Amino acid sequence: MEKITSLAKRRGFVYQSSEIYGGQNGAWDYGPLGVELKNRIAGAWWKEMTRLHDNIVGLDAAILMHPRTWEASGHVENFTDPLVDCKKCKSRFRADQIPQENLTAKKCPDCGGELTDTRKFNLMFKTHIGPAEDTASIIYLRPETAQGIYVNYKNIIQSNRMKIPFGIAQIGKAFRNEIVTKNFIFRTCEFEQMEMQYFVKPGTDEEWFAEWRKQRWAYYEKLGIKMDHLRWHQHGPDELAHYAKDAYDIEYLFPMGWRELEGVHNRTDYDLGRHTQFSGKDLQYIDQDNNNERYIPYIIETSAGLTRNLLMIFCDAYDEEQITPDKNSGSSEGAAGSADDWRTVLHFHPDLAPITVAILPLMKKDGLAEIAQDIRAELKEDYATDYDQSGAIGRRYRRQDEAGTPFCVTVDYQSKEDKTVTLRFRDSMEQVRVPRAELSARIRSEIKAYKRIK
Ligand code: ATP
C-alpha cells in the first residue's frame, strides 16, 4: 500500500487533504490524473447502470435532506459503531475490529493499557442550518446516497412514467464520521458512492436479487479486473442490517487483505414503508396494468464506493516489471543493467485510463515537434491526450507507463518521409507502424478489442 500511496501522490492521482497544514484525517484530494480516473470510473458505471438499461434512470439529489429522512431510515437510532479508547496511549478503536480477548480483558492491542467501556457512536455528521444553533436547526450530511432516491421515487414514477420493475441510479458524496480511517482512501469521512436502487414487486425480489448479483459480478469482469481477487461474502444473521432480507458483499483482495468493495442488498419494503410512516404520504405503487393493484415495492440495492473502486482499480492495475531484451523488440526501451530495466506500470483498462494517448516526438528539432503537436490537435477531440518532448524516449515511455497510458504515438524521421508513426502498446510494449491518417480509427479499434494480458 505504501508504494501505491507514494505513486498516487508523485504522479498527481491523490494528495492528502490540506497537506500544508499537516493534513486532514479522513479526507483526500484528487489531482489532475486522479480526477480524470475518478470521472472515468463514474462514467463507466453510469453507462453500465443507466444507458445500457431501458428502465433505469438517473438522479442527483441534494446532500442536505430533511432531518426526518434520517429518523425514518433508522440512521439516527442505528447508524452507530461501537467505540473504545485506550486510557494510556489515547488510541481509539472500533470494538468490532479488535480481538475479543482484548475487549474482554479491557487491554489495549497497541500498548497494553486499560481500555474504556464500549460506547455507541453515531457516524452521521451533524450540523446546523440557518443562524440559530438550536435543536430545530439540526441537519445531517447524508451518510449514504440511497435515501435521496427513495424520497424521489414517486416523483420519478410520475415524471417519467416508470413501471415496475425499474431502477434509479445516483453518484454522489456521502459523509461518515469514521472512527478509524487508515489504508489510504479505503475508508474516509468524505467519499463518493455509486448506488442503484431497483424497485420490484414483492415476491419477485429473490429473482431480481440473484440477477443483480450476476450483473455486478460481470461488470468487474468487463473492466478487466483480476477475477481471482474478487469474491462474494454473504452476510450472516449477526451482520445483516436491520432492513435487509439478504445481503452479499463483493470483496476485493486489497494489499491489507479481503475487504468490501460493493454491497448488493435485498432491502425489502422497509425503506418505502418507513418513509410512508414518517411522511404520512402514500408511497404505494399502483399497477395500472394489473387492475390497479397496490403495493409497497421491494428494493434491491447495488451500492459501490466510487473512491473505493478507484483504490481497487489502482491496486489491481499496479505492477512492477523487469524489462527483458525480447520485450524490447528492437526499441530503445530499457538497457541491461540500468535502472531502466524495471518499469512501474498501471494496466488500466483504456476506457478508464486518465490519458488515452501520449504523443511523443523523437526529437524536438527538424520539424518533428510540429508534426507531433499537429497529431495531438487532431486526436484531442476524441481522446484524452498528453504531449511530452523532454528526455530520452525510453524514459518518456516509463512516465506514461506509470500514468497508465495505454497508447503512445512516436513521431520520428520516417514520419516525415512516409506519413507513418509508431504506435506503442503499454502492456506488451510492442510497437507497430501506422499511417497517420488511420491513427484515430486504429486506436478506437484497439480500445474496443482490449483484453488485459497480465
Ligand atoms: P464498511 O463495513 O466497510 O463500513 P458498509 O457496509 O457500512 O461498509 P455500505 O453502507 O454498504 O458500507 O456502503 C456501500 C459502499 O460504500 C461500500 O461497499 C463501500 O464501497 C462504500 N463506503 C462505505 N463507507 C465508506 C467509507 N467510509 N469510505 C469509502 N467508501 C465507503
Side-chain angles (χ1 to χ4, degrees):
M1 191 60 100
E2 249 170 54
K3 284 182 174 176
I4 283 173
T5 313
S6 109
L7 176 64
K9 181 177 178 193
R10 187 157 50 79
R11 293 310 311 265
F13 283 93
V14 183
Y15 312 116
Q16 201 182 9
S17 161
S18 326
E19 194 180 351
I20 60 166
Y21 290 104
Q24 175 55 51
N25 220 0
W28 297 85
D29 298 340
Y30 291 81
L33 292 184
V35 65
E36 292 289 343
L37 179 60
K38 184 149 70 73
N39 286 344
R40 266 180 251 279
I41 296 169
W45 184 90
W46 192 256
K47 175 180 170 189
E48 172 75 22
M49 302 306 272
T50 65
R51 230 201 297 162
L52 299 185
H53 294 273
D54 300 339
N55 62 346
I56 303 182
V57 291
L59 175 75
D60 184 13
I63 288 171
L64 301 177
M65 298 182 69
H66 194 289
R68 288 282 278 170
T69 310
W70 306 110
E71 288 171 36
S73 69
H75 281 81
V76 171
E77 200 183 333
N78 294 315
F79 198 53
T80 55
D81 272 347
L83 170 73
V84 287
D85 287 303
C86 173
K87 292 182 181 170
K88 192 170 156 205
C89 70
K90 309 289 177 212
S91 292
R92 184 155 272 182
F93 306 95
R94 255 173 70 172
D96 55 344
Q97 289 181 349
I98 61 172
Q100 187 55 44
E101 56 266 29
N102 288 73
L103 262 189
T104 317
K106 288 195 158 185
K107 194 171 159 199
C108 173
D110 282 358
C111 76
E114 192 193 344
L115 291 178
T116 61
D117 287 336
T118 305
R119 58 192 191 283
K120 280 187 169 181
F121 169 77
N122 195 298
L123 270 76
M124 279 199 294
F125 280 101
K126 203 193 244 183
T127 183
H128 294 271
I129 194 157
E133 290 198 5
D134 54 25
T135 47
S137 69
I138 286 177
I139 197 147
Y140 300 97
L141 298 186
R142 69 179 177 199
E144 63 176 28
T145 55
Q147 300 300 326
I149 294 180
Y150 305 147
V151 301
N152 275 298
Y153 126 97
K154 270 261 148 143
N155 281 339
I156 289 180
I157 288 182
Q158 280 154 11
S159 61
N160 295 59
R161 294 183 294 133
M162 305 305 288
K163 288 191 172 169
I164 273 181
F166 73 92
I168 304 175
Q170 172 165 230
I171 299 177
K173 291 238 173 181
F175 302 83
R176 295 183 188 178
N177 203 351
E178 299 279 2
I179 298 166
V180 183
T181 57
K182 53 184 185 197
N183 295 319
F184 194 27
I185 56 171
F186 177 80
R187 183 184 302 287
T188 51
C189 293
E190 176 177 346
F191 57 100
E192 283 175 73
Q193 289 188 313
M194 309 185 285
E195 296 197 308
M196 193 284 297
Q197 311 291 328
Y198 204 70
F199 298 82
V200 306
K201 187 171 182 178
T204 64
D205 52 300
E206 288 181 18
E207 220 174 285
W208 281 113
F209 184 65
E211 173 60 25
W212 278 109
R213 280 186 55 205
K214 202 168 85 193
Q215 292 214 20
R216 293 309 299 152
W217 188 259
Y219 171 74
Y220 289 110
E221 204 161 15
K222 202 155 93 178
L223 286 185
I225 304 305
K226 292 176 186 151
M227 294 312 280
D228 59 346
H229 279 50
L230 287 175
R231 72 176 187 193
W232 284 106
H233 164 74
Q234 184 177 20
H235 287 206
D238 51 332
E239 287 171 278
L240 218 50
H242 54 281
Y243 51 75
K245 174 171 162 187
D246 201 357
Y248 277 81
D249 293 336
I250 298 180
E251 294 185 335
Y252 182 79
L253 186 54
F254 286 96
M256 65 282 186
W258 289 98
R259 295 284 191 286
E260 174 178 340
L261 175 68
E262 163 163 359
V264 183
H265 310 131
N266 181 345
R267 297 182 70 125
T268 69
D269 56 2
Y270 177 84
D271 302 281
L272 292 179
R274 292 278 288 190
H275 285 303
T276 302
Q277 195 187 327
F278 278 71
S279 69
K281 299 282 185 304
D282 182 4
L283 298 180
Q284 289 182 98
Y285 176 74
I286 305 165
D287 188 349
Q288 288 167 344
D289 299 334
N290 207 1
N291 297 325
N292 288 335
E293 187 190 355
R294 287 166 178 260
Y295 56 84
I296 300 259
Y298 267 41
I299 293 172
I300 308 301
E301 161 182 80
T302 74
S303 175
L306 168 53
T307 41
R308 198 173 283 183
N309 252 262
L310 188 146
L311 179 63
M312 179 278 283
I313 282 164
F314 208 98
C315 294
D316 201 69
Y318 185 91
D319 204 4
E320 288 171 14
E321 291 176 0
Q322 186 155 30
I323 302 163
T324 49
D326 58 344
K327 268 194 189 165
N328 289 333
S329 57
S331 79
S332 51
E333 295 197 38
S338 81
D340 281 354
D341 268 348
W342 283 87
R343 68 168 185 162
T344 300
V345 54
L346 292 170
H347 295 284
F348 292 137
H349 190 289
D351 284 339
L352 302 182
I355 303 164
T356 317
V357 199
I359 298 102
L360 320 169
L362 192 63
M363 299 283 171
K364 280 181 246 181
K365 54 183 189 184
D366 301 328
L368 299 188
E370 286 74 12
I371 299 175
Q373 289 283 17
D374 220 40
I375 293 175
R376 186 188 193 188
E378 254 169 48
L379 294 180
K380 241 180 204 176
E381 279 290 337
D382 297 324
Y383 305 103
T385 60
D386 189 22
Y387 175 85
D388 186 3
Q389 61 176 24
S390 55
I393 192 74
R395 283 197 194 279
R396 281 185 268 164
Y397 286 146
R398 279 319 144 263
R399 284 205 285 268
Q400 294 299 334
D401 289 343
E402 268 191 352
T405 307
F407 309 105
C408 287
V409 170
T410 311
V411 176
D412 56 16
Y413 288 100
Q414 195 184 328
S415 311
K416 283 178 78 173
E417 306 295 318
D418 63 3
K419 293 196 166 49
T420 63
V421 290
T422 304
L423 182 62
R424 181 247 191 204
F425 301 95
R426 174 199 63 205
D427 294 354
S428 63
M429 296 199 290
E430 277 168 21
Q431 301 183 8
V432 293
R433 204 88 212 162
V434 180
R436 190 179 148 177
E438 291 168 19
L439 192 56
S440 185
R442 175 68 185 265
I443 293 169
R444 174 81 49 230
S445 71
E446 292 290 345
I447 294 175
K448 261 203 158 290
Y450 179 79
K451 283 262 173 313
R452 183 162 171 176
I453 51 175
K454 52 195 312 217

